[in-house]
Amino acid sequence: MEKRKSFYITTPIYYPSDNLHIGHAYTTVAADCMARFKRMQGYDVFYLTGTDEHGQKIERAAREKGMEPIEYIDGIVANIKKLWQTLLISNTDFIRTTEPRQKEVVQKIFNRVYEQGDIILSEYEGWYCSPCETFFTERQLAEGKCPDCGRDVEMLKEESYFFKMSKYAPRLLEHIENNPDFIQPESRRNEVVNFIKSGLEDLCVSRTTFQWGIPVPFNQLHVVYVWFDALINYLTGVGYLQDDELFSRYWPADVHLMAKDIIRFHAIIWPIMLMALDLPLPKKVMAHGWIMLEGGKMSKSKGNVIDPSILVDKYGVDAVRYYLIKELSFGQDGIYSEEILVSRINSDLANDLGNLISRTAAMIIRYFQGTIPAAESSTDLDLQIKEAAQLAFSEATEKLEKLDFSNYLHATSRLVSRANKYIDETAPWQLAKDPAHTERLATVMYNLIETIRIVLILTAPAMPTLMTRANQQLGLWEDCTKVTWDEAGIWGATRSGTNISKGAALFPRVDIKTLEEGPSGATVQAETTTANEAPACEQTTEPEYISIEDFARLDLRVAEVIACEKMKKADKLLILTLKVGEEERTVVSGIAQHYTPEEMVGKKVVLLANLKPTKLRGVMSHGMILAASDDKYVDVLTVTKDIASGERVK
Ligand code: MSP
């Protein structure tokens, strides 16, 4: 039998000094999405995650609780494993650096590198804070004092082992130059190259000031530096020096995924350690951005960390994973907010995707007694939806290969929007009125189901339970676990004649009002209406028309922007001062990422003037300006002729 191609992906091993938060969950979910994608492509995947359990900080955290380090860590590691189960992480193994397999490999590696002369015994000189038991360089000090506790420091010398990194710097630079994909994104690669070029110092790889670590094998006074120990997990995890068959199958790793905080460890120290061991380097080291909160970074000390398991309880695992994967643009930081999470659920998942499936299912039930009809004929519109599906397949594949997670889901969202538009364009409820159009109606239904099949495959790496849940209604597959990625690249694979049935809403809408009214972290209740009862389902026959009187209730006015400024501490908001006839109004608008204040001043925009005033970040907003938008652009609607402000738009 031909051997399947392998794919080895890792996350950082996290410090179990405390429970993990949504930032750690981001990396682990993104890596999981990649692992699932590769498995669907037929790869033999090894996905490794775990915990980095040694070092002074962990030792101290345990002692503060009056516990032995291992006793303290065991509890947190159990929570971490539970969190990964909750998030449906499909890791192959979970490595703990306190396991015997890690100790054995770390000691063997330390020995070998020492024996070949790349580790030497020397003296470490630096500023020492004795209460913190930590050395600092001159630059790290805060006004001459310990940067952690603010107390006095003293100049001390400590005997230490040093890893001669500088010797390998030219080889590493050459490798980075010859392999442009090795460090991603490009901004990080430049940062790393500049750092290496500024001169690498030898690295202190042992400590004598505490005991919680792996002992240096030939000198028990020293423990191995926690990063030297931790990085080796990537080798131990796939059997280095212990299981040659396993190791040769998976090494070198295809991707080490992490956030930008630890890129230098992975793109400088780690490759040099591997060079010293004569091992091939990982194919890619990818650093994503940080998930921040509006007030800055998440941290335990600020008491503002977000626990992902609470979000899963509230909104479901597919929705939380979807939000995380879509939220961080390639290599960039992003802001977490529960409002954005809820609006993604309501717009992308409930309105667009959930509705597409429930509308299609309801129409097939109504017009074809629940049996998927065959496509009979083809028009331009049909060709367009087919092309949109093929484009989504190629884009989703390409973006995932590049670890551009957000754009992968943008590609699938575009297909969902296209399919909803196809319903409006083909107006099946009109076709159903005349038996002469039955063939046409059948084709439309088939094309919709076919698009849904493709969407379900493409979103499966991000949302692991959706395909199975939808399949209970649609009956597209006998065994969802056997569905391959490439099936999404084929148009026409759905068998007609299959029976579908009604089921519960796949993504219940979340009542945003509950979120707004409640205190922060308020429990948001999901409406549990089923697909049959959902108001959206009424659209399965005809769109919900409004009368001209209904439209007249909207007081739309021409308004001139006479002043504009950015809202402080809010990336997305502009505060506009509008002249509407004789009146001046303040309107807050979420367009700051698309327009500068200068660009807005002087524009004549369209204002919804009788929208109930609302407070946004402490500023009262009296109305809303109109804009067209898609995944890429936001375009504020403007009036181009010389029409006075205050005039009605109708
Ligand atoms: N133990 C080291 C890693 C050793 S790997 C050989 C470590 N652990 S950590 O617990 O601090 O985890 C850091 C990693 O957690 C980041 O690189 C990132 O993958 C993830 N994140 C932690 N907070 C994060 C955000 N706020 N946003 C995105 N990722 C975050 O460093």
Side-chain angles (χ1 to χ4, degrees):
M1 211 174 73
E2 204 196 321
K3 243 180 153 185
R4 285 188 299 151
K5 275 192 288 179
S6 69
F7 185 81
Y8 177 27
I9 183 164
T10 68
T11 70
I13 47 171
Y14 304 107
Y15 292 128
S17 43
D18 223 320
N19 288 330
L20 301 188
H21 57 62
I22 195 164
H24 306 102
Y26 175 79
T27 317
T28 317
V29 164
D32 188 64
C33 178
M34 195 64 194
R36 287 174 183 271
F37 161 61
K38 285 286 161 188
R39 276 189 210 110
M40 286 178 80
Q41 280 191 323
Y43 282 77
D44 167 12
V45 172
F46 200 103
Y47 173 17
L48 184 69
T49 187
T51 39
D52 183 0
E53 307 191 354
H54 291 126
Q56 195 174 25
K57 286 217 165 97
I58 304 269
E59 186 180 36
R60 201 175 294 138
R63 302 270 181 240
E64 274 167 16
K65 295 248 162 32
M67 291 163 107
E68 283 304 313
I70 195 68
E71 187 192 356
Y72 174 72
I73 297 164
D74 278 349
I76 294 178
V77 170
N79 292 344
I80 294 175
K81 287 185 171 172
K82 203 162 142 234
L83 176 62
W84 297 156
Q85 274 172 10
T86 305
L87 283 164
L88 300 178
I89 303 302
S90 61
N91 53 308
T92 317
D93 200 351
F94 186 103
I95 185 163
R96 301 182 55 176
T97 52
T98 48
E99 288 174 52
R101 58 174 169 164
Q102 171 78 354
K103 180 176 173 187
E104 188 188 319
V105 176
V106 169
Q107 290 191 326
K108 280 187 178 160
I109 288 178
F110 204 97
N111 241 335
R112 170 171 166 187
V113 182
Y114 177 73
E115 273 167 15
Q116 74 193 29
D118 284 337
I119 287 179
I120 50 157
L121 188 63
S122 182
E123 262 182 349
Y124 185 85
E125 202 175 14
W127 294 100
Y128 189 69
C129 172
S130 54
C132 292
E133 298 175 61
T134 309
F135 273 103
F136 297 102
T137 62
E138 183 89 38
R139 266 196 303 165
Q140 287 171 321
L141 297 182
E143 292 171 2
K145 310 265 183 196
C146 169
D148 286 348
C149 72
R151 278 179 271 216
D152 287 339
V153 288
E154 54 188 323
M155 182 49 98
L156 272 192
K157 277 187 187 169
E158 186 194 52
E159 190 186 68
S160 284
Y161 289 94
F162 284 83
F163 177 39
K164 292 165 80 179
M165 300 235 297
S166 46
K167 162 177 165 190
Y168 292 93
R171 237 174 96 186
L172 179 57
L173 276 175
E174 195 185 316
H175 182 84
I176 296 172
E177 236 158 64
N178 294 340
N179 297 275
D181 276 351
F182 175 53
I183 303 168
Q184 285 293 313
E186 208 181 308
S187 54
R188 298 286 152 233
R189 182 173 67 234
N190 298 339
E191 173 195 316
V192 166
V193 167
N194 291 340
F195 191 85
I196 302 171
K197 284 187 176 160
S198 72
L200 289 186
E201 284 175 21
D202 291 343
L203 180 74
C204 175
V205 287
S206 75
R207 296 287 188 269
T208 51
T209 47
F210 61 92
Q211 271 94 51
W212 184 240
I214 296 179
V216 168
F218 43 83
N219 186 343
Q220 303 286 317
L221 291 176
H222 293 247
V223 290
V224 175
Y225 171 47
V226 65
W227 270 99
F228 194 89
D229 164 4
L231 288 161
I232 289 172
N233 94 86
Y234 300 133
L235 293 177
T236 312
V238 286
Y240 181 56
L241 302 179
Q242 287 169 343
D243 182 341
D244 293 345
E245 203 274 319
L246 189 74
F247 186 67
S248 64
R249 185 142 38 111
Y250 296 109
W251 193 262
D254 291 84
V255 181
H256 291 314
L257 187 66
M258 74 215 66
K260 58 189 180 182
D261 52 341
I262 53 176
I263 184 75
R264 287 188 196 168
F265 293 96
H266 286 81
I268 302 175
I269 301 178
W270 180 226
I272 290 181
M273 285 169 69
L274 291 166
M275 283 176 182
L277 293 170
D278 267 332
L279 287 172
L281 305 194
K283 292 179 200 152
K284 190 177 285 193
V285 176
M286 160 74 194
H288 57 73
W290 278 321
I291 297 191
M292 316 273 281
L293 296 180
E294 263 146 19
K297 268 191 99 170
M298 248 176 287
S299 81
K300 263 279 154 181
S301 55
K302 286 192 200 163
N304 63 357
V305 292
I306 308 289
D307 178 351
S309 55
I310 294 179
L311 297 180
V312 171
D313 279 353
K314 278 181 171 177
Y315 305 117
V317 63
D318 282 339
V320 173
R321 286 177 56 121
Y322 178 89
Y323 163 77
L324 285 174
I325 293 171
K326 199 165 184 187
E327 211 48 34
L328 281 195
S329 301
F330 190 67
Q332 307 286 309
D333 293 345
I335 300 256
Y336 165 81
S337 101
E338 199 159 339
E339 276 108 325
I340 304 176
L341 165 60
V342 167
S343 76
R344 278 254 190 263
I345 295 175
N346 285 347
S347 63
D348 288 23
L349 298 179
N351 281 359
D352 293 351
L353 179 52
N355 253 343
L356 172 66
I357 298 174
S358 68
R359 288 169 88 184
T360 305
M363 287 191 283
I364 293 177
I365 289 166
R366 175 176 289 210
Y367 305 138
F368 294 94
Q369 294 74 49
T371 305
I372 297 175
E376 305 281 354
S377 60
S378 198
T379 68
D380 272 0
L381 278 180
D382 304 332
L383 207 64
Q384 283 173 24
I385 187 85
K386 177 181 166 184
E387 279 171 6
Q390 284 170 341
L391 181 68
F393 170 71
S394 59
E395 280 187 350
T397 311
E398 184 205 319
K399 300 299 176 196
L400 273 176
E401 295 288 5
K402 288 188 179 154
L403 303 153
D404 184 352
F405 297 104
S406 175
N407 276 323
Y408 141 64
L409 281 183
H410 278 289
T412 66
S413 296
R414 280 194 288 276
L415 178 57
V416 172
S417 304
R418 185 66 194 84
N420 279 319
K421 193 166 155 220
Y422 177 80
I423 299 184
D424 296 339
E425 290 164 341
T426 53
W429 49 91
Q430 301 285 7
L431 298 173
K433 286 182 187 157
D434 183 351
H437 295 318
T438 306
E439 274 195 6
R440 179 76 202 121
L441 184 61
T443 305
V444 170
M445 291 303 114
Y446 183 85
N447 288 343
L448 283 171
I449 266 296
E450 188 54 359
T451 309
I452 289 169
R453 179 187 67 82
I454 290 169
V455 168
L456 290 173
I457 298 175
L458 296 183
T459 51
M463 295 189 279
T465 79
L466 176 61
M467 181 186 269
T468 316
R469 292 189 295 128
N471 198 46
Q472 281 161 4
Q473 300 175 28
L474 306 178
L476 294 172
W477 299 281
E478 266 161 35
D479 181 353
C480 288
T481 60
K482 299 216 168 85
V483 178
T484 67
W485 183 259
D486 286 349
E487 287 171 42
I490 302 164
W491 181 264
T494 297
R495 278 174 293 124
S496 56
T498 310
N499 282 322
I500 65 176
S501 54
K502 283 186 184 175
L506 294 166
F507 295 104
R509 279 186 66 79
V510 177
D511 185 355
I512 191 92
K513 267 194 252 130
T514 338
L515 184 74
E516 279 168 2
E517 284 160 8
S520 74
T523 314
V524 175
Q525 281 163 6
E527 295 165 4
T528 47
T529 40
T530 63
N532 326 352
E533 297 158 355
C537 215
E538 286 159 17
Q539 293 169 18
T540 57
T541 49
E542 273 188 26
E544 214 185 302
Y545 291 118
I546 62 165
S547 66
I548 194 75
E549 290 78 23
D550 291 330
F551 176 71
R553 293 185 58 213
L554 305 179
D555 186 12
L556 295 169
R557 300 279 171 170
V558 176
E560 187 180 349
V561 183
I562 54 173
C564 181
E565 61 176 317
K566 283 197 160 165
M567 172 91 80
K568 288 201 183 76
K569 291 195 184 155
D571 300 354
K572 297 193 175 144
L573 300 180
L574 289 183
I575 307 174
L576 305 159
T577 309
L578 302 179
K579 185 168 168 295
V580 194
E582 293 311 304
E583 189 196 348
E584 264 187 30
R585 289 199 183 206
T586 303
V587 167
V588 177
S589 178
I591 54 173
Q593 289 178 333
H594 303 273
Y595 289 90
T596 62
E598 296 72 38
E599 277 175 300
M600 288 305 296
V601 174
K603 276 198 184 352
K604 279 192 178 156
V605 297
V606 178
L607 170 74
L608 176 58
N610 61 342
L611 185 71
K612 192 173 161 200
T614 182
K615 204 181 237 180
L616 289 162
R617 298 288 165 73
V619 177
M620 280 308 286
S621 179
H622 299 268
M624 178 177 85
I625 64 167
L626 304 191
S629 66
D630 65 7
D631 284 338
K632 262 199 196 148
Y633 302 108
V634 168
D635 196 2
V636 169
L637 299 191
T638 52
V639 175
T640 50
K641 294 203 172 137
D642 192 18
I643 297 176
S645 79
E647 290 300 326
R648 249 195 118 144
V649 178
K650 47 190 189 295

